[in-house]
Amino acid sequence: MSERMTLTRRETVAGAAALALLPQGAGAQGAGPVTGQVTGIVYEDRGGLGRQGPGDPGIPDVLVSNGREVARTDAEGRYTLPVTDETVIFVIKPTGYALPCDADNIPRFSYIHQPAGSPASLNLRYRGIAPTGPLPASVDFGLTRSEERGDFDVILFTDPQPESHAELGFVRDTAVTRALGLGAAFGMTTGDVLFDDLSLYPRQNRIVGRVGIPWFHIGGNHDLNFEAPDARHSRETFKRVFGAPAYAFQYGGVLFLMLDNVNYLGAATGTPARGGRYEGRIGERQLAFVEAVLRETPRDRLVVVAMHVPLLTDMDPDSPGINTVDRAALLRLLADRLSFSVAGHTHTTEHHYLDASGRRVAEGADGHHHHVLTAVSGSWWSGPADRRGIATADSRDGTPHGFHVLSITGAATYTTRYVPASDDAGRQMRILLESQFHTDDLGRLPETRLNELFGSPVPAESVGATDLVVNLFDGGPRSRVRYRIADGPWQAMTRVRRTDPFVAALYARFAASKKSWVKAEPSSHIWTARLPAGVTPGCHRLTVEATDEYGRLHRDGMVLELSGGEGMPGRRT
């Protein structure tokens, strides 16, 4: 290995040198005692050589980190940081500069110092880090100038989680295809990139890379090396393929913190073939890193935090496996800052507003906005096949599988929007009529069509016993939903926590097409109202209006058909 190591725009260095371009996992960064220090230069790669040439000046005031401490480059672009024998050194891209990307648009911004590589004693099923050798005399990072405006979009994927090559094809033909041409600045996947089979990474990267924008990744619980006894070496394959599980970068004046909050606790059953145990935990080292980065970041900057395990979820707020146990420590660091965070993991869609202690704030009060994103795989690619042969994959809270787009305006305000990934799921809500008491049982009967079970016609005598059920797919505690029949008065609907009856019946009807653990779960974005009795038999327009978490209006509707019986006079339209 040469005495000077610099990141190149393409992976042109073979063997251990190529692996050395990748950063170390969050669970292992800096493991062991300090053994020395690293120094290097952040420079402007004007010549495009992938190494500093005579006309490539150093860039001052750029942040570089070892995963805990953060250094700022001097006037010549030079930095110095302490290292151990398992340290990742990475540059924190500043606004106005671009990172080098490989042929699949994966940003390359770090260097692993792991002289012994991944321990051979682990007998990893999926290849880890080859020995990187002695620390080079200078570890340099080349950046190129790039115009970045304060208005931009980011594509947010979470849990694509293909279990096979066939399901990776589902990812390609749904979410990735929908992402083409969206014009986003970059994309990210917040964990469970794969479903335990880490040999699928190369094909996954080739597919997602065709979106044509830089794509950042963080690991989920299904991206672990289960042979590791604990968190220290649980990201060896992920490190080799993507780089640091925990890092940061700036874009358009916004700071993005990419955290690995899957704390691996070891094999679940004594054999790694059966997966592993884990908890949601950011950990002391990453919290120190966050604090150090924020110390160097103006307080008026928007901070976006991405992770895999939610800070908090409605699924089971007390479970350490699906909530972040040390979320309060992170939220205290973000207090009095404009911040927003996203996660995945639960295959549900949720919005939470949290105080500095990690508890939900009172309705309408200000709090840190935490968004649990819709999973690309929905119900882990369960459900009946559509006309293309792709699993319909409706999520267990009733949201069609898909992803979100984060829109930043003026580098200071943000919104997100839900994008369904399947061609036949273009709406923002599902409207149902729940007129039959035993819908769960009836949904299992092969002669009962689901559209008849949850739609018209409804006997006029039953209309007063019929519930209107609306699943506003990306709704939350600040959303509002109302309805009206024909030109009648608007009626407010009530947000309730319950299962989506359509998805419950779908899973019951097509039980053989779903994964064994998949079942309908209570949803945080269901609204209900009892229809008024006495509506005249016939056909009526039923209109639903919903205001989402950002105050945007969504409209949809259905034809309410009432059959037979006597009713009060009503206006038909």
Side-chain angles (χ1 to χ4, degrees):
M1 182 180 295
S2 66
E3 286 298 300
R4 179 177 289 270
M5 176 60 67
T6 186
L7 247 64
T8 59
R9 184 164 290 277
R10 296 182 181 273
E11 290 183 13
T12 57
V13 185
L19 296 176
L21 300 179
L22 305 177
Q24 190 172 352
Q29 289 181 23
V34 172
T35 56
Q37 64 179 26
V38 61
T39 187
I41 295 175
V42 180
Y43 66 93
E44 183 183 347
D45 189 6
R46 292 177 176 177
L49 299 176
R51 55 178 174 78
Q52 188 178 21
D56 295 339
I59 307 174
D61 294 323
V62 177
L63 302 181
V64 184
S65 179
N66 60 9
R68 175 189 286 272
E69 291 87 5
V70 171
R72 185 179 289 274
T73 58
D74 64 16
E76 286 73 43
R78 185 164 292 280
Y79 71 91
T80 301
L81 285 164
V83 296
T84 74
D85 282 343
E86 291 184 359
T87 296
V88 60
I89 304 100
F90 55 91
V91 64
I92 298 176
K93 185 194 84 66
T95 291
Y97 287 89
L99 293 166
C101 290
D102 68 12
D104 293 324
N105 284 306
I106 297 174
R108 301 300 184 187
F109 51 86
S110 52
Y111 171 85
I112 288 178
H113 176 56
Q114 195 165 339
S118 301
S121 61
L122 295 177
N123 192 26
L124 297 179
R125 179 169 184 168
Y126 304 106
R127 184 163 55 95
I129 302 295
T132 62
L135 188 69
S138 186
V139 175
D140 300 343
F141 301 99
L143 305 175
T144 55
R145 287 192 178 271
S146 177
E147 181 182 359
E148 295 178 359
R149 292 176 292 183
D151 297 353
F152 60 95
D153 287 350
V154 182
I155 298 173
L156 304 176
F157 278 13
T158 195
D159 299 81
Q161 210 164 337
E163 197 170 13
S164 63
H165 279 285
E167 290 182 355
L168 186 50
F170 295 169
V171 178
R172 178 197 62 212
D173 295 337
T174 58
V176 172
T177 300
R178 290 296 295 270
L180 299 175
L182 288 181
F186 58 92
M188 65 173 70
T189 300
T190 60
D192 285 359
V193 182
L194 298 177
F195 197 166
D196 300 338
D197 185 350
L198 307 188
S199 70
L200 298 180
Y201 278 140
R203 184 179 172 218
Q204 191 276 158
N205 292 344
R206 290 193 295 270
I207 290 171
V208 177
R210 304 291 70 77
V211 179
I213 55 178
W215 205 280
F216 297 89
H217 297 78
I218 51 179
N221 52 293
H222 289 287
D223 297 302
L224 294 164
N225 290 104
F226 295 127
E227 295 82 8
D230 52 33
R232 180 174 178 179
H233 295 111
S234 62
R235 292 287 189 210
E236 299 298 278
T237 302
F238 188 96
K239 288 162 22 178
R240 175 179 60 81
V241 176
F242 294 112
Y247 53 100
F249 61 92
Q250 300 171 21
Y251 190 98
V254 179
L255 173 65
F256 290 84
L257 295 171
M258 310 291 284
L259 304 183
D260 180 3
N261 67 340
V262 179
N263 185 38
Y264 184 58
L265 302 174
T269 61
T271 167
R274 304 300 300 170
R277 299 173 294 112
Y278 57 89
E279 63 176 357
R281 183 181 295 275
I282 300 166
E284 183 272 337
R285 184 172 182 83
Q286 283 187 91
L287 289 168
F289 166 67
V290 170
E291 183 175 17
V293 174
L294 292 178
R295 192 182 302 120
E296 301 293 332
T297 303
R299 298 192 66 83
D300 61 349
R301 297 285 177 87
L302 173 63
V303 179
V304 177
V305 188
M307 65 203 75
H308 182 62
V309 179
L311 294 177
L312 185 70
T313 175
D314 286 320
M315 293 295 293
D316 182 353
D318 298 319
S319 171
I322 55 177
N323 298 271
T324 301
V325 297
D326 56 352
R327 62 181 176 271
L330 174 67
L331 292 171
R332 283 193 293 269
L333 294 175
L334 296 172
D336 301 323
R337 286 182 178 267
L338 177 60
S339 62
F340 169 67
S341 61
V342 296
H345 189 48
T346 56
H347 296 244
T348 57
T349 308
E350 304 173 27
H351 291 268
H352 300 280
Y353 302 90
L354 307 174
D355 63 20
S357 67
R359 293 188 293 266
R360 294 184 181 90
V361 300
E363 185 170 331
D366 291 334
H368 174 85
H369 184 189
H370 182 61
H371 191 358
V372 182
L373 304 172
T374 303
V376 168
S377 62
S379 54
W380 295 266
W381 300 113
S382 291
D386 66 13
R387 60 185 178 275
R388 300 168 297 172
I390 296 174
T392 47
D394 291 280
S395 303
R396 51 185 177 168
D397 66 352
T399 302
H401 75 108
F403 59 93
H404 296 258
V405 174
L406 168 65
S407 296
I408 305 292
T409 304
T413 61
Y414 69 90
T415 59
T416 58
R417 61 183 174 91
Y418 158 70
V419 180
S422 292
D423 292 338
D424 57 354
R427 290 177 166 173
Q428 293 292 310
M429 66 183 79
R430 178 183 294 116
I431 304 172
L432 304 174
L433 298 174
E434 197 172 36
S435 62
Q436 300 177 73
F437 198 87
H438 295 286
T439 53
D440 288 346
D441 292 333
L442 291 170
R444 301 174 187 273
L445 302 178
E447 68 274 11
T448 306
R449 296 180 180 178
L450 296 185
N451 66 320
E452 293 176 346
L453 186 61
F454 297 113
S456 294
V458 175
E461 294 90 342
S462 300
V463 66
T466 295
D467 287 334
L468 177 66
V469 180
V470 174
N471 188 336
L472 179 63
F473 299 137
D474 196 19
R478 297 184 179 179
S479 303
R480 298 292 181 265
V481 181
R482 64 179 187 170
Y483 83 97
R484 69 176 179 178
I485 298 174
D487 296 325
W490 288 103
Q491 304 291 331
M493 301 185 69
T494 302
R495 180 172 173 246
V496 297
R497 180 164 173 75
R498 56 158 293 177
T499 57
D500 182 318
F502 176 84
V503 169
L506 183 76
Y507 291 172
R509 171 68 60 82
F510 298 98
S513 68
K514 68 179 182 65
K515 305 290 172 68
S516 61
W517 63 88
V518 174
K519 63 185 181 71
E521 298 283 0
S523 173
S524 64
H525 39 83
I526 298 284
W527 278 259
T528 65
R530 185 69 47 81
L531 292 181
V535 181
T536 303
C539 292
H540 308 269
R541 183 182 68 248
L542 189 151
T543 304
V544 175
E545 283 190 351
T547 303
D548 67 16
E549 297 298 284
Y550 304 100
R552 297 171 300 202
L553 186 64
H554 304 275
R555 291 187 178 92
D556 209 330
M558 69 183 306
V559 174
L560 172 63
E561 184 179 4
L562 303 182
S563 61
E566 297 295 330
M568 296 170 59
R571 182 175 178 181
R572 301 182 189 181
T573 56

